[in-house]
Amino acid sequence: MKLKTLLLGAIAGTALAPAAFAERGSDGHVNIIYWQAPSILNPYLSSGTKDIESASLVVEPLGRYDQDGALVAYLAEEIPTVENGGVSADLKSITWKLKSGLKWSDGSAVTSADVKFTADYCMNPEGGCAQLAKFEGVESVEIIDDLTVTVTFGEAKPNPYGPFMGGQSPIIQMAQFENCTGAKAPECTEANFGPIGTGPFVVTDFRPNDVISMVANENYRDAAKPAFASLTFKGGGDATASGRAVLETGEYDYAWNLQLAPDVLAKMAEGGKGTAVSAFGTLVERIEMNMTDPSPSLEEGVRATAAAPHPALSDINVRKAMSMAIDRDLLVEIGYGQAGRPTCNLVPAPLAYASDNTDCLTQDIAGANALLDEAGWAKGSDGVRAKDGVRLSMVYQTSTNAVRQDFQALIKQWWEEIGVETELRNINASVFFGGDPGSPDTFQRFYADVEMYANNFDGTDPESYLAQHTCDKAPKPESQWQGENINRYCDPAYDELVAELGRTGELSKRGEIAKKLNDMLTKESYVVVPLVDRGRVSAHANSLGGVILNTWDSELWNAADWYRIK
């Protein structure tokens, strides 16, 4: 089957919520808590999930992915397909038509100029865009009329749903951001903290790394929504406090990403105030190996860039041995229970794109030691290996979280068993996953040797996700440290295969290429070391209706449909 065949109409058009309310604001206030606090509300300047999802309450894409991964029109009149004429027969262009009468929250009209501007904003060569992979292969965006734009690709694009689809690629208002392009983008604090949007809510106050206050958007396209007149988005704390706030005390209505040990979560659920919800998608806890040297002895502009290759991790034997030393089954047992599965894949789903890579699933300390011995990394009297004057001494960083600190402690022990000295560092999640170009502690800046976090992709096709690892997307000073290629991996063969995926229409062949790309990053190069295929676990109050957990898009994708159960 060709992907073109699927474009002939296999698009969802379902109603998303029951008619549980009939008047905007009639259900009062709703409280949301994310233990990773948002630091910015512009998804193009942060790849942190907490920033993307909080922003999704305000700025919206042309289309979203529903709970089943199907494409659903939001600002667009419909999802373009070959059948309805929206996707050209040669698959080189896609034409989007906005719904008529759409307004920004300031009352001005949403037009195709805003859509084109959004693409130009992200693709500006003088700036850094955290979502540049969504625009992979785009040659031009042309305004046809006030409501219509055509995106043209350099080659046939069997999956043209990168730009403007999902929470990672929303439309931003040209009038607000037109003087905030390129290198100026991070400087526009007012716009980045309070974007004018089309979503159900409007920001009234934003305190970075703390709390966001919102009210219902009076210009929202559905006169009966949202049901809530106001919203508080609280950030910070930890997963334990977030879980208790919904499941035990009832202080909050929705808690995201309850990354807690299974027994802890089960005990909280006994409180009776809320319900935990979970589902598997593409969220993978992984270790990223820094291919560049993060040593503070290097000057800024060289440190953690391609100009300074990593003195130890440039050796694939070191990366492979560090992966071999890890017991993924034990990590799942202590960290996630039934909500986790050991994995060797960066792309664990859907099945058509998931490699049969299982090489990493059995811990092999002896094999790891033998590999390092053979590679010439000899143990010193202190048990730490060295070669040509370079010690195997690693700084291992992640965000502050009980499960992650448990993982760090175990992995440090295993690595020391193979002669790798390990210093642990944990950073406040709001800072670690923030997009501040001036902070040395963000995961994009990567001033450590290895780091651990989880990430996933919008929708059910991993093309844009895998395109994040091309050479041009490495964070660097010139891009204000924005970029999705976190470990600075660069292989021209990988880049060419990404391009081939972009022009391949046969589904089975797309699957083969995606699996090869996955394997190049994992079992062939070990620049990404997957650990756990994580189920998404969140919780909502028993009094909050309309919640549909979505692992393919923002969890807050249908917040306009939430309501209070009387």
Side-chain angles (χ1 to χ4, degrees):
M1 176 183 282
K2 290 183 178 292
L3 186 58
K4 182 175 179 179
T5 305
L6 294 187
L7 295 178
L8 294 175
I11 304 297
T14 56
L16 296 179
F21 46 88
E23 184 179 348
R24 177 179 294 152
S26 59
D27 284 347
H29 191 79
V30 64
N31 290 303
I32 297 172
I33 186 165
Y34 274 47
W35 57 270
Q36 295 177 10
S39 55
I40 194 169
L41 291 176
N42 182 347
Y44 294 108
L45 296 183
S46 175
S47 51
T49 303
K50 40 91 175 183
D51 299 322
I52 294 167
E53 299 211 349
S54 55
S56 73
L57 294 165
V58 179
V59 288
E60 300 176 302
L62 298 183
R64 284 199 181 283
Y65 299 94
D66 71 9
Q67 71 273 20
D68 299 315
L71 286 70
V72 181
Y74 263 58
L75 298 184
E77 187 67 39
E78 62 183 352
I79 297 294
T81 65
V82 172
E83 183 182 55
N84 63 27
V87 175
S88 64
D90 63 5
L91 306 182
K92 288 187 176 181
S93 67
I94 181 171
T95 298
W96 291 92
K97 188 173 182 63
L98 290 164
K99 291 176 179 175
S100 61
L102 289 175
K103 292 183 178 181
W104 293 104
S105 58
D106 65 0
S108 61
V110 179
T111 73
S112 53
D114 297 301
V115 181
K116 174 176 169 50
F117 172 79
T118 298
D120 293 342
Y121 177 91
C122 184
M123 295 191 297
N124 190 308
E126 296 179 5
C129 180
Q131 312 301 339
L132 188 58
K134 297 288 268 184
F135 295 85
E136 188 79 14
V138 172
E139 191 172 82
S140 66
V141 178
E142 179 186 1
I143 295 174
I144 306 302
D145 58 39
D146 282 352
L147 298 179
T148 312
V149 297
T150 294
V151 180
T152 300
F153 300 95
E155 300 180 279
K157 195 76 166 177
N159 177 27
Y161 304 116
F164 318 128
M165 273 296 304
Q168 296 173 357
S169 190
I171 308 303
I172 56 176
Q173 188 191 55
M174 181 174 71
Q176 185 181 32
F177 285 92
E178 60 186 340
N179 296 319
C180 302
T181 59
K184 295 180 181 178
E187 300 171 6
C188 294
T189 303
E190 184 176 349
N192 293 329
F193 286 4
I196 293 167
T198 56
F201 294 96
V202 176
V203 177
T204 56
D205 185 45
F206 177 57
R207 301 177 192 175
N209 303 322
D210 185 8
V211 66
I212 312 169
S213 298
M214 302 185 187
V215 296
N217 177 4
E218 291 302 319
N219 288 300
Y220 188 62
R221 57 189 172 276
D222 188 327
K225 299 176 183 179
F228 293 103
S230 56
L231 177 152
T232 296
F233 192 113
K234 175 62 180 169
D238 55 39
T240 301
S242 293
R244 285 177 179 153
V246 171
L247 297 171
E248 292 183 356
T249 70
E251 181 183 0
Y252 282 82
D253 296 298
Y254 192 87
W256 162 85
N257 188 22
L258 297 184
Q259 194 175 359
L260 299 166
D263 58 330
V264 174
L265 191 60
K267 183 66 176 175
M268 285 182 185
E270 294 175 4
K273 298 288 187 180
T275 301
V277 289
S278 64
F280 279 95
T282 59
L283 186 66
V284 171
E285 190 80 14
R286 87 290 298 271
I287 287 174
E288 299 275 356
M289 301 284 185
N290 197 341
M291 300 301 290
T292 62
D293 190 349
S295 172
S297 65
L298 297 174
E299 63 179 324
E300 292 298 320
V302 174
R303 183 184 183 188
T305 72
H310 198 285
L313 291 175
S314 294
D315 184 345
I316 188 175
N317 297 295
V318 174
R319 304 193 301 269
K320 182 176 181 179
M322 291 170 71
S323 176
M324 292 169 66
I326 297 170
D327 184 344
R328 289 162 175 80
D329 286 322
L330 184 56
L331 294 181
V332 169
E333 181 182 338
I334 68 162
Y336 298 101
Q338 295 299 310
R341 301 182 288 219
T343 188
C344 304
N345 288 326
L346 180 64
V347 178
L351 185 61
Y353 297 105
S355 171
D356 60 0
N357 176 20
T358 58
D359 293 359
C360 77
L361 296 183
T362 300
Q363 183 187 39
D364 187 0
I365 296 288
N369 272 309
L371 180 63
L372 292 172
D373 287 340
E374 185 177 347
W377 292 91
K379 284 188 178 180
S381 58
D382 59 358
V384 179
R385 292 180 182 271
K387 179 181 179 181
D388 299 330
V390 176
R391 282 167 59 86
L392 283 189
S393 182
M394 305 290 167
V395 174
Y396 171 16
Q397 72 180 19
T398 189
S399 64
T400 304
N401 170 268
V403 171
R404 286 193 169 131
Q405 271 67 82
D406 286 344
F407 278 26
Q408 279 186 305
L410 282 170
I411 292 171
K412 171 185 169 76
Q413 175 186 322
W414 295 325
W415 283 349
E416 290 184 343
E417 288 180 34
I418 64 170
V420 179
E421 182 179 52
T422 308
E423 175 190 338
L424 302 182
R425 177 189 298 166
N426 68 81
I427 299 166
N428 181 284
S430 301
V431 175
F432 186 65
F433 294 113
D436 182 358
S439 172
D441 294 324
T442 64
F443 79 111
Q444 300 101 320
R445 194 76 166 248
F446 206 171
Y447 277 2
D449 302 289
V450 296
E451 65 184 9
M452 179 175 67
Y453 61 92
N455 210 339
N456 65 326
F457 56 90
D458 279 348
T460 56
D461 189 296
E463 181 183 332
S464 294
Y465 190 57
L466 291 165
Q468 293 177 357
H469 291 273
T470 56
C471 298
D472 62 317
K473 298 186 182 70
K476 49 190 176 291
E478 305 89 85
S479 66
Q480 293 82 49
W481 295 104
Q482 293 296 340
E484 303 127 307
N485 184 356
I486 302 302
N487 48 39
R488 287 68 156 158
Y489 169 75
C490 184
D491 182 347
Y494 184 92
D495 288 16
E496 174 52 38
L497 201 56
V498 166
E500 184 179 342
L501 176 61
R503 57 179 175 260
T504 299
E506 186 71 36
L507 280 177
S508 62
K509 290 182 180 178
R510 286 180 65 81
E512 290 174 8
I513 295 170
K515 291 172 185 178
K516 174 62 176 175
L517 289 166
N518 173 90
D519 291 351
M520 289 177 74
L521 295 172
T522 55
K523 72 176 182 180
E524 292 180 18
S525 69
Y526 297 91
V527 293
V528 180
V529 176
L531 303 174
V532 181
D533 175 10
R534 286 175 44 191
R536 195 84 68 88
V537 181
S538 295
H540 64 83
N542 292 331
S543 63
L544 183 63
V547 175
I548 301 175
L549 184 65
N550 190 339
T551 62
W552 309 108
D553 206 316
S554 167
E555 280 195 27
L556 305 179
W557 71 297
N558 76 325
D561 301 324
W562 291 3
Y563 59 93
R564 186 69 65 196
I565 298 173
K566 307 298 185 184

